[in-house]
Amino acid sequence: MKILSVNAGSSSLKFQLYEMPEENALVSGVFERIGIDSSFYTIKFNGEKIKKEVDLPTHKDAFTILLKELMDLGIVKNLDEIKGVGHRIVQGGSYFDRTVVVDEDVIAKIDELSALAPLHNPAAIVGIRASQEVMPNAVQTVVFDTAFHQTMPEETYLYALPYEWASEYKIRRYGAHGTSHKYVSARMNEILGRNNTKLITCHIGNGASISAVKDGKCINTSMGLTPNAGLIMGSRCGDIDATIVPYMMDKLKVNSKEMDTILNKQSGLLGVSGISSDSRDIEEGISKGNHRCELAQKMYVRRIIDYIAKYYVELGGCDAIIFTAGVGENSISTRREVLDGLSVLGVKVDEERNNVRGKETLITSDDSSIPAYIVPTDEELMIARDTYNLCI
Ligand code: AMP
């Protein structure tokens, strides 16, 4: 059965087609600059990358071209071969604790939550509508970044703010990257050969979050109402003293929107280093003796260690620490520094095992008190799995 994983942004559409249940990725690609000039798409198929420039006024045009390409490439003979389409949704609020089949009520709830994810939820609805039009016979599902975190207890997801804010304004911790935390924790349980586990999953990419996962369920996560909480990220500040915000708005005479941009786009590694949000550039800066790069990296690593230590206590121990996403899978030095910072718990990194990028690997020594692994994430596959399960 063929299942399509879709991630629609306001001007983009990423996709990956799978043969399920074999989990074979058949083809993937991205449509860019939808609704603006110079639109194009790229498709990866059979180890080749095809790029074409084409007019893309709407998401519907992108889907129509995609389906024509799939037929031209001989991947499908007709559209009805695609039985399910899974759409990634950033914010599911308290409504959704799992993947569901799309109906009008589901779309209305995603729309209602747009205030909490203004860049993402409306774009995803556009993607769903376009997909429904072009593939009316496929089962359309929605897979929420927040769903995996819905198992957090009330005392964990509430903020110590006026209690009514949660009910009246939906102010609470929702978390993000849930599809990734779910994928890597499920994979880790497979590796360990059991489900009754205490795991700390570190999704460290340009955006970054850490979750505490007990027996396959999330009990805490570092992102909050929005993705700008918890860890220091590429250009997001993560946890800060909340009162800095009104104080600096007064000092800089900026409005809330401008302040939001500073906290999300001009802070984090970029803000501290003054050089880049990309950890590769920070590593290069450090190799040249750049003090602010060294400082940014120290702060970045310190925050990760703090969260792992906090979740270790909250979980009452830990069976494995998992690194995933761009930095987690690829930055040898960041992983080493984090694990060295946990040596007081008996964690011991194995330099040789850790000298690897992007491959599922045990990176601690055999006598480490807690094993740490790289588990490359695969959010698209997780979306396809959930969608397939709703199609059979
Ligand atoms: P993601 O958001 O998961 O795609 O992660 C993207 C980030 O991963 C980039 O901004 C880099 O900071 C980081 N990254 C990717 N490759 C490497 C690498 N080889 N070494 C260090 N960091 C990397």
Side-chain angles (χ1 to χ4, degrees):
M1 183 190 295
K2 294 192 172 56
I3 301 284
L4 187 64
S5 266
V6 168
N7 185 353
S10 55
S11 66
S12 68
L13 184 81
K14 283 192 201 139
F15 67 90
Q16 185 136 0
L17 184 72
Y18 290 90
E19 186 67 51
M20 300 296 282
E22 297 82 358
E23 303 192 343
N24 286 337
L26 302 173
V27 57
S28 66
V30 57
F31 289 80
E32 295 188 52
R33 301 183 64 83
I34 300 171
I36 29 183
D37 58 347
S38 318
S39 327
F40 64 95
Y41 63 92
T42 44
I43 293 190
K44 281 193 209 157
F45 176 57
N46 268 348
E48 273 185 55
K49 195 168 168 181
I50 309 161
K51 180 174 174 185
K52 289 187 188 169
E53 284 171 27
V54 64
D55 263 357
L56 292 171
T58 66
H59 285 70
K60 187 178 167 196
D61 297 303
F63 273 113
T64 307
I65 291 170
L66 167 60
L67 296 171
K68 186 174 176 312
E69 280 284 2
L70 295 181
M71 288 196 277
D72 290 350
L73 291 167
I75 300 166
V76 298
K77 289 194 197 70
N78 64 67
L79 301 189
D80 286 340
E81 272 183 52
I82 300 174
K83 298 287 182 209
V85 184
H87 300 264
R88 177 188 178 215
I89 310 289
V90 163
Q91 183 54 263
S94 304
Y95 291 130
F96 301 103
D97 64 358
R98 68 197 66 193
T99 297
V100 296
V101 173
V102 172
D103 61 21
E104 284 306 312
D105 177 55
V106 167
I107 292 186
K109 288 192 167 108
I110 295 170
D111 190 32
E112 186 194 319
L113 294 163
S114 289
L116 298 178
L119 297 180
H120 296 104
N121 276 25
I125 295 175
V126 171
I128 295 167
R129 294 282 189 215
S131 173
Q132 283 174 323
E133 271 189 66
V134 179
M135 288 172 280
N137 297 327
V139 175
Q140 309 280 337
T141 72
V142 274
V143 184
F144 297 93
D145 267 9
T146 47
F148 185 59
H149 305 304
Q150 279 295 303
T151 43
M152 285 186 288
E154 195 177 15
E155 69 270 22
T156 302
Y157 69 67
L158 276 187
Y159 291 111
L161 292 164
Y163 186 77
E164 300 71 32
W165 286 18
S167 50
E168 278 180 40
Y169 301 99
K170 298 187 166 66
I171 302 294
R172 49 156 287 184
R173 181 188 302 280
Y174 295 105
H177 297 139
T179 310
S180 175
H181 288 287
K182 183 176 168 186
Y183 177 85
V184 298
S185 54
R187 176 66 198 132
M188 195 67 240
N189 281 351
E190 270 176 21
I191 296 168
L192 296 174
R194 59 197 173 91
N195 292 323
N196 60 333
T197 53
K198 297 168 180 170
L199 306 177
I200 299 175
T201 51
C202 309
H203 177 112
I204 306 172
N206 190 31
S209 62
I210 299 196
S211 292
V213 184
K214 190 161 187 248
D215 305 336
K217 291 199 169 78
C218 175
I219 64 160
N220 206 345
T221 194
S222 60
M223 279 181 169
L225 172 75
T226 75
N228 197 359
L231 301 179
I232 293 171
M233 305 177 219
S235 63
R236 295 186 196 131
C237 57
D239 293 343
I240 56 166
D241 175 344
T243 304
I244 293 170
V245 176
Y247 181 82
M248 285 309 292
M249 281 172 73
D250 282 351
K251 288 274 170 214
L252 299 175
K253 306 217 177 336
V254 294
N255 62 31
S256 59
K257 212 166 168 218
E258 290 163 326
M259 192 60 187
D260 193 55
T261 302
I262 297 170
L263 300 174
N264 276 287
K265 302 232 164 89
Q266 296 165 18
S267 302
L269 288 178
L270 174 63
V272 178
S273 71
I275 288 194
S276 173
S277 60
D278 192 307
S279 73
R280 286 165 288 201
D281 299 333
I282 302 298
E283 286 176 21
E284 201 190 319
I286 293 169
S287 73
K288 290 180 182 152
N290 182 302
H291 170 67
R292 278 174 58 183
C293 287
E294 284 169 8
L295 190 60
Q297 177 70 5
K298 271 189 195 155
M299 292 164 67
Y300 185 83
V301 166
R302 177 78 256 154
R303 188 75 59 85
I304 299 170
I305 295 166
D306 288 350
Y307 267 91
I308 294 176
K310 170 176 148 68
Y311 290 161
Y312 173 82
V313 173
E314 200 166 327
L315 284 163
C318 178
D319 294 309
I321 298 165
I322 298 117
F323 290 94
T324 197
V327 180
E329 291 172 31
N330 295 301
S331 175
I332 294 163
S333 55
T334 300
R335 287 193 307 260
R336 186 201 322 110
E337 288 161 23
V338 168
L339 294 172
D340 280 348
L342 295 164
S343 59
V344 67
L345 298 178
V347 175
K348 286 187 197 157
V349 66
D350 181 308
E351 291 291 344
E352 218 167 290
R353 289 175 179 170
N354 184 44
N355 193 18
V356 64
R357 299 184 204 271
K359 236 178 77 186
E360 189 175 290
T361 320
L362 171 70
I363 55 171
T364 40
S365 57
D366 293 339
D367 62 344
S368 177
S369 59
I370 307 169
Y373 288 80
I374 301 168
V375 177
T377 194
D378 197 338
E379 290 161 283
E380 291 76 19
L381 176 57
M382 197 71 235
I383 292 172
R385 273 185 197 164
D386 276 5
T387 305
Y388 172 73
N389 287 331
L390 288 170
C391 286
I392 51 174

